[in-house]
Amino acid sequence: MGDAVPDGSGKHPLSSAVMLKLATILENPGEPAVHSRYQAPAELKALGYNGLVIYESTALSGIQNTDAIGSDEMRRWVNARVDHIGQTIDAASDAGLAVYLSYDVLVLGVHAVQRNVNGLCCKGRPQTLCPASEQALELSASGLESLLNRWPRVQGVVLRFGDTDAQRLPHLIGNDLYSPHCPRCSRFGRAERASAFIKRAHRLVVEQMGKRLIVRAWNVRPGGMHDVPELAKRIAESLPGDPKDDRLILSFKFTQTDFWRYQRWNPSSLACGDRPILYELQCQREFEGKGGIPNWQVPLWRDGCPEVADQEGEVHGLAEACGRVNLAGLWAWVRGGGWGGPFVKNEQWIDANVFAVPLLADDPCVDLRGLAEQWVRGRLGLDDNTAAHVVRLLEDSSEFVMQAFYLGPFARGRENPWHPNADWVQDDLLDTRSAWRIIQHLSESELDGLVNEKEAAAETVGRHRAALQQVVNDRCHRELEPLVNTLLYTESFFEALRDLIGGLVAYRRFKKTGDSALAGAVKQKLFSAQDHWNHHTQRFGSLPGAATAFREENFWDVTQDIIAQVDG
C-alpha cells in the first residue's frame, strides 16, 4: 500500500509499492509523561518506520478555535498541546515520516455544546452528543478541517468512532457513535451511524484535501465493528470510493477484542472485502506488565495465539491473514496503552517488539529465531554465546507471561471473548478478591492446572534469571545488569502469584474437607506469597532498570483473613 509523499501541499500521490509501517506513542491524560527513545523521529526512521500517528491530537477533536475555550487554564493547556503537536509534525516530516493526526467522533468543545445543548445532544442527556444531530456532525467535521488547515504537512487522519478520551479531558464532551439512544437517533442502526460519518470524513479528507483517511474499527464496548464481523462487512460495503483505493484504510487491532491472550485473529478484519486493512500491534502490552517484563510478541503476530489454534478454519496470524486481506501495513503502538503502571525505566524488552514490526511488515513469514538473534546482536550488541541466553528468554516469554497473567481454566472456559483475564490483574493492580471469586467457580478438576501454570511461570523466569545473572558474573557484561534486575522483579511478582493462587486453591479444598494438612499448606503458601510480595514492592521494584512495582487490592485483607480462619 502506498505511503504518503510530502510535496508541500498536503496532498499525496498514491504508490502501491510501499507497505505502511506506522508508529505511535500514547500519552494518556493524567499519567506521568513518557520519556522514550521513540520520541525522536530519526530513531523510528532508522528502525524502518515510514509514518507517525500523533495521538495527542485527540485532545483537539471538535475544536475549531482554541481561543474560544472558556477556562483560562484549559485554554493554556490546549494551546500548549497545539504548539507541541506542531513541533512534532515538523520534526517527523523533516525526518521523512508521513504524519497522521488522531481524531475522535463524536467529540466537541464544552463551550460549543453549552451554547446549543438541545441541538447537539440527545434529548434529556446534556452530556451525550446525538449521532442524528446534523449540527453535531457538521461541527465535528469543521473541527477536523480546521486541524488539517492548521498543519498542511499532515498526510492524513486516523478517525476513531467507537471510543473517545473526552471523559478524561474537561474541555471536551463526547461519546462513541454506537451508544446514544433517544427519539432522534434511535432510528439509526450501528452501521448507519458509522458509515454516515465516515462518508462525511471521506469527502473532506480524501476528496477535498487529497489526504489519506484511516478509519479505526475499535470499539471499547462489545458489539461494534471491531468485534462483530457481520457489522464490519455491512459498514465496509457502504463505504465510498474504489474498494482498493488506499486513500481509505480500515484499521483493526490484530486481536478480536483488546490486546489480551486467548484471542482469535481479528475476524472482522477478514470480512471487509478488498478494503485495505491495517493491523495494530501493541509493543508494550498493557494487560501483561507493560514492558517491565520480557514479552516477545512476534510469534503471536506472525502465527496467532497458540491457545486458540485448534479452531477449524481460523486465520491464526499475519502469515495467513496477508493472503486473505488487502494488507496495507502494520501500526505499532511503540509505547502506551492502559491507564496506569507499571511505569518502565528501561525500554529494552519493549524495543524487541518495536524493532520487529517493520521487518514483519516486509515479510509476514519472517524467521522468528533469526529476527530475535538480529535484535539481540544488533540492538544489545551481545556476542554469540551471551546472545543465545537472551534469545531463549525471548522465545519462552510469551508462554510464561500467559501462564502468569491469566487464569487458564477460566480463560479457556468462557464464551465471551472479552476480558479473558477477568481483570484480576489490570494495569499494575492485582485484585486478590477477584482471583478468589474465580477460583470458587472453577471445577475441582481445573484447580491443579491453575496451580501448575503459575508454578511453571515462576520456574521458567527463575531459570532464565539465574542463567543471565551467571553470564553477567562470569563475563562482566555489566550492560546486562538492568535486564537481570527486570528478571528479579518479574520472578518476585510471579512467585507472589504462584503462592497466592496455590494458597487460595488449598483454602478452597480445606473448606470442603477440613483436612489439617491442607490447613498447614494454606498458611505456608499465603505467608510465602506475602513474603514475595514484600520483596517485589519494597526491594526489586526499586532496582536500576526495573519498572515500578505492582500494587495490590485486597491482597493483605484476604490473605490475613484466610490465615485467621484456618487458625481459628
Side-chain angles (χ1 to χ4, degrees), residues 433-453:
R433 204 173 299 281
S434 176
W436 173 232
R437 282 196 299 269
I438 294 168
I439 287 171
Q440 291 179 87
H441 286 92
L442 295 177
S443 67
E444 172 63 30
S445 63
E446 293 173 314
L447 297 180
D448 286 340
L450 184 61
V451 171
N452 291 341
E453 70 181 6

Side-chain angles (χ1 to χ4, degrees), residues 290-507:
K290 296 189 176 174
I293 288 169
N295 195 355
W296 174 238
Q297 288 294 295
V298 188
L300 306 183
W301 297 339
R302 193 193 74 170
D303 300 328
C305 296
E307 61 273 18
V308 296
D310 59 347
Q311 299 184 40
E312 290 295 325
E314 292 291 325
V315 165
H316 298 120
L318 187 67
E320 293 181 50
C322 66
R324 289 273 303 273
V325 304
N326 181 6
L327 184 64
L330 301 177
W331 172 9
W333 298 21
V334 297
R335 288 292 306 272
W339 294 98
F343 300 110
V344 299
K345 306 166 192 171
N346 185 311
E347 290 182 314
Q348 293 289 41
W349 298 126
I350 301 168
D351 188 67
N353 295 321
V354 176
F355 167 81
V357 173
L359 298 172
L360 183 65
D362 288 335
D363 179 9
C365 297
V366 66
D367 174 62
L368 297 178
R369 173 159 290 187
L371 190 57
E373 290 174 345
Q374 189 178 344
W375 175 75
V376 171
R377 292 192 180 96
R379 300 287 281 182
L380 296 185
L382 300 181
D383 58 63
D384 288 349
N385 289 334
T386 308
H389 290 282
V390 180
V391 168
R392 285 194 292 270
L393 170 59
L394 290 177
E395 290 175 334
D396 286 347
S397 63
S398 63
E399 176 72 8
F400 65 62
V401 163
M402 183 183 72
Q403 291 171 332
F405 282 90
Y406 297 83
L407 302 174
F410 167 81
R412 288 189 293 272
R414 81 206 189 292
E415 295 182 2
N416 190 316
W418 290 82
H419 299 279
N421 68 344
D423 299 334
W424 81 293
V425 180
Q426 180 81 353
D427 291 315
D428 61 349
L429 187 64
L430 167 67
D431 186 346
T432 301
R433 204 173 299 281
S434 176
W436 173 232
R437 282 196 299 269
I438 294 168
I439 287 171
Q440 291 179 87
H441 286 92
L442 295 177
S443 67
E444 172 63 30
S445 63
E446 293 173 314
L447 297 180
D448 286 340
L450 184 61
V451 171
N452 291 341
E453 70 181 6
K454 299 297 174 285
E455 290 178 346
E459 187 279 328
T460 305
V461 169
R463 176 165 40 83
H464 281 295
R465 187 268 308 156
L468 196 59
Q469 198 163 40
Q470 191 65 47
V471 168
V472 172
N473 294 338
D474 289 348
R475 301 175 190 169
C476 298
H477 282 284
R478 297 304 175 198
E479 73 277 9
L480 292 180
E481 285 185 352
L483 296 188
V484 172
N485 289 341
T486 68
L487 295 181
L488 288 166
Y489 167 98
T490 303
E491 186 178 11
S492 64
F493 180 59
F494 284 11
E495 287 172 331
L497 298 183
R498 175 198 65 196
D499 292 337
L500 172 65
I501 296 301
L504 293 178
V505 167
Y507 177 59

Side-chain angles (χ1 to χ4, degrees), residues 168-194:
R168 303 180 182 96
L169 296 165
H171 66 290
L172 297 178
I173 288 178
N175 44 267
D176 65 66
L177 285 174
Y178 294 121
S179 57
H181 188 84
C182 73
R184 181 165 48 175
C185 64
S186 60
R187 66 183 185 275
F188 293 114
R190 292 172 296 167
E192 270 186 291
R193 294 176 183 215

Side-chain angles (χ1 to χ4, degrees), residues 4 41 59 89 114 122 138 152 183 205 245 279 338 443 519:
I89 291 169
Q114 288 176 341
C122 285
E138 187 58 37
V205 176
D245 186 349
Y279 284 112
S443 67

